[in-house]
Amino acid sequence: MTLGLGLGSDSGDGGEELPGGGSGDLPEGWSRATLGELGEWFGGGTPSKKRPEFWTDGTIPWLSPKDMGPDVLVATQDLIHESALDDSPVKLVPAGSVALVVRSGILERKVPVTYVPFDVTLNQDMKAVVPHRGIDGRWLAWAIRAREHYVLENCRKRGTTVASLEVPWLMDTEVLVPPAAEQRRIVGQIEEQVAHIEAGEAAAHAALSSATSLAEQITARGSRGCLEEVELAPAPLEKADIDDGTIPDLPADWSWARLGEVASVVGGVTKDSKRQGEPDYVEVPYLRVANVQRGQLVLDNVTTIRVPPEKALSLRLQPGDILLNEGGDRDKLGRGWVWEGQVENCIHQNHVFRARVIGQKIHPKLLAWHANGFGKAWCDRNGTQSVNLASISLRKIKLLPVPIPPQEIQEQLVKTIELHLEGVATARVTAETALAQARDLRAALLHAAFTGALVPQDPADEPASALLDRIRAARVTAKATPRKRTPRKPRPAPPGQGELPE
């Protein structure tokens, strides 16, 4: 079956409001219920790290947010020993549950949800719901995904350091419930269609990866004059107290130089929070590491800083300046691009170097492309690493080897590289368009599935209202029946001692 669904603006996010203002507007046999009504909810916890026996010879999966993929479990690497169930906050969640993340930075943009077909335990940032009889666990997982936009908008806590969900609000989230038999038909059709969508997404991601790799090869080889077959030979480079690695051969008439020989390189401004109120300071925009990407500048969020007027003047960026990252994650060292004067009076922070070419010795784009290619591995070898931050010093970055082509060929070389990159950019746009279409198709698929438009209703199916009546009646009975407590097992005594009292 192939979907033929409209992709209107209201078809993709699970809906702020569920369709059907009253029961008469619902698909035949469907009813409304909250997520809290559809199953038993379990919390998570972490067995004590001070009890090594909990983490030795484990057989029970212990699930945490890192194990969650978009629709399925990525991995369950952590196993705990069954003894942890007797003397820790961890509870065993039966097979067939639906697990979801309730505390993680990923909740800024997504709610990871997965069906878990085996017994599992959870860490404290997870919740799970075990569906009541008649509620298909796989259907419930898809139902929660279909309401992801609503959950993020209405169930997320505000003002917390790490994004999290208000579980009571989550449990109060309403979904439309089809008959049990239709739930299974819906799941079968969703999974069939999603398999086709995922195949297309995989091909698009592969195309994006290939385009990225090809662009890197074009700029790296082009900045060394190797886009075409040319005769190469070793070019001299004066030794320095730095790990240059293998210095590539260059075409005839090319030469090697150090960055400090062809460009004036300076560090940026350090923010002094205590002096931001100084009356003689001026406020100017400034670039941070997040603005300086590999091969591009991202300027949709440029912040401002107050600095002395003379500092604002000395650090003011000029068109043609090359910006290179000094610090951040290790793979960010040395990455950057060319400033084109996009923001007036802009300066840069101390974690971003500015390289200003001296006397037109090299085209700024050739220098930036080289820094993003050869310079990436060079900075990785010569950078330093603290606990949370990698960096490369101003003294070292000035020693970056730079290939210098003859002046008369530089402009044409840049045009040739850019022409090759245009073809790659077209391929990237095609792949990105395919991914956007796949996202729209997923959204349309879920909208159809959970509004009764994906599979036909069968009048012979028991209506969901009867199923929900049984579930609600069973919950009332369970609340009225005292639960018997299972006696805790005594903790094993340490070697050489008797049993510990309970």
Side-chain angles (χ1 to χ4, degrees), residues 245-263:
T246 301
I247 298 297
D249 294 343
L250 297 176
D253 299 329
W254 285 54
S255 61
W256 284 101
R258 300 286 180 182
L259 177 60
E261 298 170 347
V262 298

Side-chain angles (χ1 to χ4, degrees), residues 348-363:
H348 54 106
Q349 71 164 183
N350 59 310
H351 294 306
V352 177
F353 295 124
R354 182 201 74 198
R356 182 170 294 165
V357 175
I358 301 170
Q360 298 183 331
K361 291 184 177 181
I362 183 171
H363 194 291

Side-chain angles (χ1 to χ4, degrees), residues 319-338:
D321 287 344
I322 302 99
L323 297 161
L324 303 170
N325 281 337
E326 174 268 347
D329 296 335
R330 201 166 188 88
D331 64 342
K332 295 180 176 62
L333 299 185
R335 78 177 185 188
W337 191 234
V338 181

Side-chain angles (χ1 to χ4, degrees), residues 144-487:
I144 296 173
R145 293 182 195 116
R147 300 237 67 195
E148 180 180 77
H149 182 78
Y150 175 88
V151 169
L152 290 177
E153 287 295 315
N154 296 278
C155 302
R156 197 165 54 196
K157 291 182 181 179
R158 305 299 176 185
T160 55
T161 303
V162 179
S164 60
L165 300 179
E166 291 279 11
V167 176
W169 297 352
L170 177 65
M171 294 174 67
D172 282 342
T173 298
E174 196 172 61
V175 294
L176 302 186
V177 183
E182 190 172 344
Q183 292 174 31
R184 294 188 289 273
R185 295 197 298 272
I186 288 172
V187 168
Q189 189 58 225
I190 287 177
E191 292 181 349
E192 179 181 336
Q193 295 294 336
V194 165
H196 294 306
I197 295 171
E198 287 178 341
E201 287 174 326
H205 281 299
L208 274 179
S209 178
S210 296
T212 300
S213 177
L214 180 57
E216 290 175 352
Q217 292 179 45
I218 289 170
T219 55
R221 292 177 61 85
S223 61
R224 298 199 309 271
C226 302
L227 275 181
E228 300 175 354
E229 289 293 331
V230 294
E231 186 174 346
L232 303 175
L237 175 66
E238 186 175 345
K239 294 290 185 181
D241 60 336
I242 204 79
D243 183 2
D244 285 327
T246 301
I247 298 297
D249 294 343
L250 297 176
D253 299 329
W254 285 54
S255 61
W256 284 101
R258 300 286 180 182
L259 177 60
E261 298 170 347
V262 298
S264 170
V265 188
V266 298
V269 65
T270 300
K271 186 172 184 178
D272 187 346
S273 300
K274 296 180 180 179
R275 304 194 66 184
Q276 288 299 291
E278 294 282 346
D280 59 334
Y281 276 30
V282 294
E283 185 172 0
V284 292
Y286 81 124
L287 300 185
R288 299 163 294 131
V289 170
N291 301 120
V292 183
Q293 301 292 315
R294 196 173 302 281
Q296 63 175 331
L297 300 178
V298 179
L299 304 176
D300 52 350
N301 184 21
V302 176
T303 59
T304 61
I305 187 172
R306 291 179 58 81
V307 296
E310 61 274 14
K311 180 68 72 172
L313 183 61
S314 66
L315 292 180
R316 183 178 298 168
L317 295 173
Q318 298 179 9
D321 287 344
I322 302 99
L323 297 161
L324 303 170
N325 281 337
E326 174 268 347
D329 296 335
R330 201 166 188 88
D331 64 342
K332 295 180 176 62
L333 299 185
R335 78 177 185 188
W337 191 234
V338 181
W339 179 251
E340 296 175 341
Q342 298 95 321
V343 181
E344 189 176 359
N345 297 326
C346 194
I347 66 174
H348 54 106
Q349 71 164 183
N350 59 310
H351 294 306
V352 177
F353 295 124
R354 182 201 74 198
R356 182 170 294 165
V357 175
I358 301 170
Q360 298 183 331
K361 291 184 177 181
I362 183 171
H363 194 291
K365 288 185 177 180
L366 292 176
L367 177 52
W369 282 325
H370 174 70
N372 286 323
F374 176 91
K376 181 180 180 181
W378 187 90
C379 287
D380 183 63
R381 283 195 304 273
N382 294 291
T384 58
Q385 181 75 50
S386 62
V387 176
N388 297 315
L389 185 70
S391 63
I392 189 162
S393 68
L394 179 61
R395 183 191 72 83
K396 287 183 177 180
I397 198 70
K398 288 181 177 181
L399 297 176
L400 172 70
V402 179
I404 308 297
Q407 184 68 44
E408 62 271 15
I409 71 168
Q410 291 189 23
E411 284 289 346
Q412 184 57 47
L413 181 57
V414 169
K415 291 179 181 178
T416 301
I417 294 172
E418 289 181 332
L419 184 63
H420 281 78
L421 291 177
E422 285 178 8
V424 176
T426 300
R428 288 188 62 89
V429 169
T430 301
E432 288 168 350
T433 300
L435 288 174
Q437 291 173 341
R439 288 191 294 270
D440 287 344
L441 189 54
R442 271 178 177 262
L445 172 66
L446 293 185
H447 185 262
F450 294 96
T451 56
L454 184 61
V455 299
Q457 282 74 53
D458 186 345
D461 290 343
E462 179 189 55
S465 57
L467 166 63
L468 294 174
D469 285 345
R470 287 197 301 273
I471 289 174
R472 288 162 180 156
R475 293 180 68 199
V476 171
T477 301
K479 286 182 179 179
T481 304
R483 182 178 297 180
K484 293 183 179 180
R485 295 191 60 177
T486 303

